[in-house]
Amino acid sequence: MIRTVLVANRGEIARRVFRACRLLGLGTVAVYSDADRESPHVRDADRAVAIGPPPARASYLDAERILAAARETGADAIHPGYGFLSENWAFADACRRAGIVFIGPSPEAIRRMGDKTEARRLMAAAGVPVVPGSPETLADVATAERVARDIGYPVLLKAAAGGGGIGMARVDEPAGTAAAFAAARRRAEAAFGRGDLYVEKYLERPRHIEIQVFGDTAGTVLHLHERECSIQRRHQKLVEESPAPNLPPAVKEGLTRAAVAGARAIEYVNAGTLEFLVDAAGGFYFLEMNTRLQVEHPVTEEATGLDLVVEQLRVAAGEPLGWRQEAIVQRRAAIECRVYAEDPAKNFLPSPGTLTRLELPAGEAIRIESGVEAGSAVPVHYDPLLFKLVVSGRTRGEAVARLADALERCVVEGVKTTIPLLRRVVAHAEFVAGRVHTQMVEQGAFND
Amino acid sequence: MTEEIKAHITGVVFQIPTKPGDRVAAGDAVIVLESMKMEIPVEAPRAGAVKEIRVKEGQTVQEGETVAILE
């Protein structure tokens, strides 16, 4: 039983969760830093609690402050959103010890999937294909060189504690390994406090395809099909869609089967996503599991007609999943664009400032998930996501046409945004044809 | 000849990898800003010696603000 939900987040995702709470008649509590006093998410909730100064580590990452806010307001559950504390197993554990429901998986599942080498080992043991690479953390440069020679250059060095592309380095030949190893270790230490690295084979022009899974406390694990998320910059997604175009049925079948087997192997509860790289030959390899709600979850909601956040709340309250696998069908084609306060003309340099003008499209099959409004300040302290534009259609072609038109009608002034790039993406012949891969943005396919 | 090194973006000073007297090459990070979860180096426009650092870690700087002096 849950009565009141505190959302330990800000921006569009806090507003999204509050909406689901209202549908179920649950009370809502917002938390906010001093930079977010005037933010829409604060007004959306029944109550709001100030949790500290603007830097995230003094507010949205301060577990003690957030738990205190829950106690003070009588909130009996916390939804972490994405980012911030959402994949922090110690926070999930602290909630449990405080008698507060953490709306997400168990601390154990978060911890095991959060360590990327442990996650690969567990998934491989469950029969999920993984990218060829080191089975565990690399002891030193010599080990890195030996493993890289075995699997063949080019390779990627990655941080074991990492995510979001931080501490990642591509190495093309043996001579470059030592320098890249030292640099990647430094970056990983600075970002995560832990310099452990592992090595993976670098795949040429792979697609990024992920499977949405959902488990309940009775042990049922289902999938909600795939999302294609290949249009990325700096390993961060810009455009996502479901169904994935031109995905052979046999590959899709393999992906969903592997994802469900992987989630079952760790007794996964609540919403999660297994990310895969898919190469041109149809080989697929597990990348990592995100043990939380994804930014791009609305794509799955629009494609299937199901509400993932409502289901998260129900499952967290101990109810069984209200879905049967056979009844979960992609009925529509859905596409999401992320509008970030970044300048695509300057290599996606952040563009903080104040939104002097904001006009958003509306109409049939157009969904906006926004954390901002005209007049909002876009602070330097947080992720630069302004809003998500999600459209759907009976066919992919209809969805693409609707998206192109909706992007034309977005007006954002005061900060630079990714909109000009997104317009070029949806007009690009390869995107229209559904032939995308993860290196297109960096290779300049959508340059002005 | 001295030259002002200016922040090309608004952000918070994340790290200061140099100190007065350090020799830097063109393109070296003199300070590192953090903005919207990204680390963004403010680079030396040319080779020289750092004469002065005008900011502290944790300080917010505006785009165009002088963060260091190069000579």
Side-chain angles (χ1 to χ4, degrees):
Chain A
M1 203 33 201
I2 292 175
R3 287 190 188 83
T4 301
V5 176
L6 180 148
V7 178
N9 216 301
R10 63 185 297 281
E12 65 89 17
I13 195 60
R15 306 187 78 190
R16 169 73 188 93
V17 176
F18 290 144
R19 231 165 53 225
C21 292
R22 289 197 296 271
L23 270 184
L24 294 178
L26 304 176
T28 52
V29 179
V31 292
Y32 62 96
S33 74
D34 295 344
D36 278 334
R37 200 172 294 278
E38 308 290 332
S39 295
H41 87 269
V42 175
R43 297 195 300 273
D44 276 4
D46 300 336
R47 295 185 64 183
V49 181
I51 51 165
R57 56 195 158 273
S59 49
Y60 297 104
L61 288 172
D62 187 336
E64 282 310 312
R65 295 293 290 268
I66 289 166
L67 286 169
R71 276 191 294 268
E72 180 189 323
T73 54
D76 47 9
I78 294 182
H79 194 300
Y82 51 71
F84 295 130
L85 293 168
S86 61
E87 292 181 281
N88 182 321
W89 68 267
F91 178 66
D93 190 49
C95 289
R96 183 157 70 183
R97 282 187 279 109
I100 292 169
V101 175
F102 177 82
I103 300 169
S106 67
E108 293 75 25
I110 297 173
R111 185 176 55 74
R112 295 168 91 183
M113 292 297 104
D115 181 326
K116 302 305 173 189
T117 49
E118 163 90 342
R120 283 162 46 101
R121 196 183 58 71
L122 282 167
M123 290 300 115
V128 180
V130 299
V131 181
S134 49
E136 51 202 33
T137 300
L138 299 162
D140 48 32
V141 182
T143 316
E145 284 171 343
R146 184 172 49 72
V147 177
R149 249 195 307 277
D150 286 351
I151 60 177
Y153 286 89
V155 297
L156 273 183
L157 289 171
K158 294 175 138 185
I166 296 165
M168 204 182 281
R170 176 181 163 161
V171 191
D172 290 320
E173 50 184 24
T177 310
F181 189 89
R185 167 157 283 180
R186 261 198 317 278
R187 288 193 59 80
E189 266 164 9
F192 311 112
R194 232 185 95 193
D196 292 343
L197 302 176
Y198 63 99
V199 64
E200 263 179 19
K201 184 158 182 63
Y202 180 83
L203 303 171
E204 295 285 349
R205 290 192 292 279
R207 297 173 72 175
H208 173 121
I209 295 181
E210 59 189 29
I211 306 294
Q212 176 73 53
V213 295
F214 223 118
D216 65 18
T217 48
T220 301
V221 177
L222 302 172
H223 73 81
L224 287 90
H225 304 276
E226 80 285 6
R227 288 182 293 258
E228 152 66 58
C229 311
S230 294
I231 306 290
Q232 311 183 346
R233 52 96 183 77
R234 279 196 303 261
H235 301 279
Q236 296 278 352
K237 298 157 193 167
L238 285 170
V239 181
E240 304 99 343
E241 61 181 298
S242 182
N246 303 317
L247 184 65
V251 179
K252 170 165 172 159
E253 170 69 20
L255 282 165
T256 53
R257 197 184 292 270
V260 169
R264 282 206 177 111
I266 55 166
E267 296 172 359
Y268 195 79
V269 174
N270 219 291
T273 295
L274 287 93
E275 299 186 332
F276 295 88
L277 289 177
V278 180
D279 68 19
F284 59 86
Y285 308 97
F286 171 76
L287 262 186
E288 62 178 27
M289 182 169 187
N290 294 134
T291 51
R292 55 170 165 82
L293 188 67
Q294 299 276 95
V295 178
E296 60 272 25
H297 75 276
V299 164
T300 297
E301 295 185 324
E302 295 307 311
T304 61
L306 302 174
D307 189 321
L308 271 69
V309 185
V310 162
E311 207 64 10
Q312 279 198 295
L313 296 166
R314 293 184 59 253
V315 164
E319 293 178 42
L321 277 166
W323 307 324
R324 283 177 305 111
Q325 184 67 70
E326 321 79 77
I328 303 172
V329 179
Q330 290 156 301
R331 295 170 204 283
R332 293 174 69 79
I335 314 177
E336 172 183 283
C337 282
R338 299 191 193 183
V339 176
Y340 284 107
E342 291 180 353
D343 189 352
K346 287 190 190 161
N347 198 24
F348 301 98
L349 207 59
S351 180
T354 299
L355 292 176
T356 51
R357 191 167 163 212
L358 180 66
E359 286 172 26
L360 298 174
E364 64 284 352
I366 294 175
R367 170 173 169 183
I368 301 274
E369 296 285 350
S370 173
V372 294
E373 58 198 0
S376 286
V378 183
V380 298
H381 304 284
Y382 316 114
D383 181 274
L385 182 65
L386 297 176
F387 63 89
K388 308 183 301 205
L389 167 62
V390 192
V391 304
S392 66
R394 284 168 304 154
T395 62
R396 183 173 187 271
E398 187 184 309
V400 171
R402 181 166 284 134
L403 180 57
D405 181 56
L407 279 168
E408 283 309 313
R409 289 183 286 129
C410 288
V411 181
V412 184
E413 290 175 9
V415 301
K416 295 271 195 275
T417 75
T418 45
I419 291 171
L421 175 91
L422 294 167
R423 286 176 181 155
R424 291 195 295 274
V425 170
V426 299
H428 196 280
E430 293 294 293
F431 178 81
V432 172
R435 286 192 298 266
V436 290
H437 62 79
T438 51
Q439 291 151 10
M440 290 177 91
V441 174
E442 276 145 32
Q443 289 173 355
F446 310 114
N447 285 2
D448 207 352
Chain B
M1 199 187 83
T2 63
E3 185 170 352
E4 296 185 339
I5 303 178
K6 294 182 193 300
H8 55 307
I9 182 168
T10 298
V12 178
V13 178
F14 176 65
Q15 270 177 358
I16 306 177
T18 56
K19 57 183 186 308
D22 283 1
R23 305 286 314 172
V24 291
D28 280 359
V30 177
I31 71 163
V32 181
L33 297 177
E34 184 181 10
S35 187
M36 295 173 154
K37 297 205 317 187
M38 265 171 278
E39 290 166 37
I40 297 150
V42 180
E43 299 169 351
R46 58 171 173 81
V50 176
K51 183 171 183 224
E52 191 185 339
I53 301 281
R54 291 260 180 105
V55 294
K56 291 194 183 69
E57 275 183 24
Q59 178 185 337
T60 301
V61 297
Q62 302 298 320
E63 182 177 343
E65 195 175 323
T66 300
V67 296
I69 308 284
L70 192 66
E71 69 176 356

